[in-house]
Amino acid sequence: AGAMAAAGNVFLRARGRTLTAFRPDAEYQWNGPFCFIQGADPQFGLMKAWTHGDTNNGDDEWEEEIKLAEQAVQAINRLDPKPKFFVLCGDLVHGMPGSRWKKKQEQDLKDVLKNTDQDIPLVFVSGNHDIGNTPTRETIDDYCKNWGDDYFSFWVGGVFFLVLNSQLYFDSSKCPELRQAQDAWLDEQLAVAANQKCKHIIVFQHIPLFLSKPDEDHDYFNLDKSVRQEIMEKFHKAGVRAVFSGHYHRNAGGSYKGLEMVVSSAIGCQLGQDTHGLRVVVVTEEKVVHRYYSLTELGSHGIEKEMLDLLAKQK
């Protein structure tokens, strides 16, 4: 019964390092253009904490974020054609592991997300607030019980998607063996992708490899240069098309040898000049095209004509 309950649970579809919402054998083949939605950092609790200047304890209120997340879900539900999935690139809530409001924030987020159209699977990526800046086996286990595996891969229409736990690249000092396990798994997955002749490989992770330039200095919002170089090179050799992430609460991005780094701003608290929004990603046989929309714009106008035209070349 446990497996059935998990299969029916929209929050626990990442299991056994894959996504149970899609059957691989049905998804290995290219099937024409499709779109998916990327969101990041709903981060229930940050807006109040940020305005009050207390980001450690000031997150006892998240009404504003609930409304924004509801707006995001409504906008997604109205889209036509229907997106293949909705991926949330980490920092689901603001409360760090073990903090006072975390459980309540998570429950409130789940209450909003379960109104997403049942035919649009939810894909979750772990962020630093979900498993801690320095994750441990315990914080990762707790995340997996709530949201499914912390890293996994899945196929949609001939395109291979990888979800990574970027905290293991940021600081794995308390669980080095988990980082080694993810590394070994990733190499295996990239080898599988090479054999399967996929159209594109697309990666999701919370922390960007870099914000605008591959050789920029390391800070809180990107990965350490040596780790970054190693991953970028590995992705480049494997032919990864794009990496989508959040964490920065602003839109940013750049490229490295044809690998595009896409940094999307938040559904929740904005730390720059961007609007609360979502990114619409259209995958065609040749390319991956994306655009960031404000929640209001996407909710009232939907996807613009240029993007729809790319999708319409379907048959």
Side-chain angles (χ1 to χ4, degrees):
M4 279 312 291
N9 182 336
V10 297
F11 303 110
L12 293 178
R13 284 183 169 155
R15 279 281 171 257
R17 302 286 173 220
T18 186
L19 200 66
T20 58
F22 296 106
R23 286 192 17 243
D25 52 338
E27 298 290 347
Y28 283 143
Q29 299 305 316
W30 175 251
N31 226 341
F34 63 87
C35 74
F36 65 84
I37 305 298
Q38 182 214 8
D41 304 88
Q43 207 159 339
F44 284 20
L46 176 59
M47 287 172 89
K48 181 187 177 213
W50 187 254
T51 28
H52 284 244
D54 179 2
T55 50
N56 292 327
N57 311 296
D59 60 339
D60 58 349
E61 218 177 273
W62 48 92
E63 274 312 304
E64 195 60 37
E65 283 100 333
I66 290 178
K67 289 198 192 94
L68 291 162
E70 286 173 341
Q71 204 184 338
V73 166
Q74 286 158 6
I76 290 167
N77 286 348
R78 281 206 286 269
L79 294 178
D80 181 25
K82 216 185 277 281
K84 287 284 186 182
F85 59 87
F86 171 28
V87 58
L88 268 170
C89 281
D91 282 2
L92 304 172
V93 302
H94 184 65
M96 283 282 186
S99 65
R100 188 174 170 192
W101 306 108
K102 190 175 185 71
K103 288 275 167 269
K104 181 77 182 91
Q105 289 169 349
E106 290 186 325
Q107 192 47 57
D108 284 355
L109 178 60
K110 286 183 173 181
D111 288 343
V112 173
L113 291 176
K114 58 175 179 258
N115 295 318
T116 310
D117 184 320
Q118 291 306 296
D119 295 329
I120 305 172
L122 298 164
V123 179
F124 297 104
V125 181
S126 62
N128 55 309
H129 283 263
D130 306 310
I131 57 177
N133 285 320
T134 306
T136 64
R137 187 173 277 278
E138 290 68 36
T139 63
I140 291 175
D141 282 349
D142 190 57
Y143 170 87
C144 294
K145 284 192 190 87
N146 258 306
W147 305 103
D149 288 350
D150 58 324
Y151 60 90
F152 54 95
S153 65
F154 60 99
W155 287 83
V156 176
V159 177
F160 190 50
F161 292 94
L162 291 159
V163 169
L164 298 180
N165 176 345
S166 54
Q167 290 316 116
L168 295 175
Y169 296 127
F170 193 78
D171 182 359
S172 62
S173 55
K174 289 189 177 161
C175 53
E177 73 291 354
L178 296 184
R179 166 151 181 203
Q180 284 157 4
Q182 176 171 263
D183 281 341
W185 173 87
L186 177 58
D187 289 342
E188 237 165 67
Q189 295 299 305
L190 293 172
V192 165
N195 288 335
Q196 280 290 351
K197 305 272 186 286
C198 55
K199 282 288 173 208
H200 307 290
I201 306 172
I202 294 174
V203 174
F204 299 118
Q205 57 186 57
H206 178 61
I207 300 184
L209 296 167
F210 57 88
L211 298 171
S212 57
K213 295 190 177 69
D215 60 349
E216 69 198 18
D217 288 341
H218 167 55
D219 68 16
Y220 176 77
F221 287 113
N222 60 18
L223 291 180
D224 183 76
K225 274 175 129 166
S226 59
V227 178
R228 179 197 314 168
Q229 189 54 44
E230 191 184 322
I231 299 172
M232 290 190 310
E233 209 31 51
K234 180 180 286 191
F235 285 175
H236 163 65
K237 287 202 173 89
V240 174
R241 176 59 63 116
V243 177
F244 288 87
S245 67
H247 188 51
Y248 192 44
H249 296 254
R250 285 155 280 209
N251 286 309
S255 62
Y256 171 81
K257 297 184 178 175
L259 163 72
E260 190 182 5
M261 179 68 241
V262 184
V263 185
S264 291
S265 197
I267 292 172
C269 189
Q270 300 301 313
L271 301 183
Q273 301 307 306
D274 296 295
T275 49
H276 307 281
L278 293 165
R279 192 172 291 276
V280 175
V281 186
V282 172
V283 183
T284 73
E285 205 160 356
E286 295 79 38
K287 53 193 179 186
V288 176
V289 184
H290 52 86
R291 184 182 153 203
Y292 187 83
Y293 290 83
S294 75
L295 295 179
T296 319
E297 186 187 5
L298 193 63
S300 53
H301 301 296
I303 304 173
E304 74 201 287
K305 187 172 181 318
E306 287 85 336
M307 298 282 259
L308 288 173
D309 287 347
L310 289 170
L311 284 169
K313 295 204 167 77
Q314 205 111 333
K315 296 293 169 255

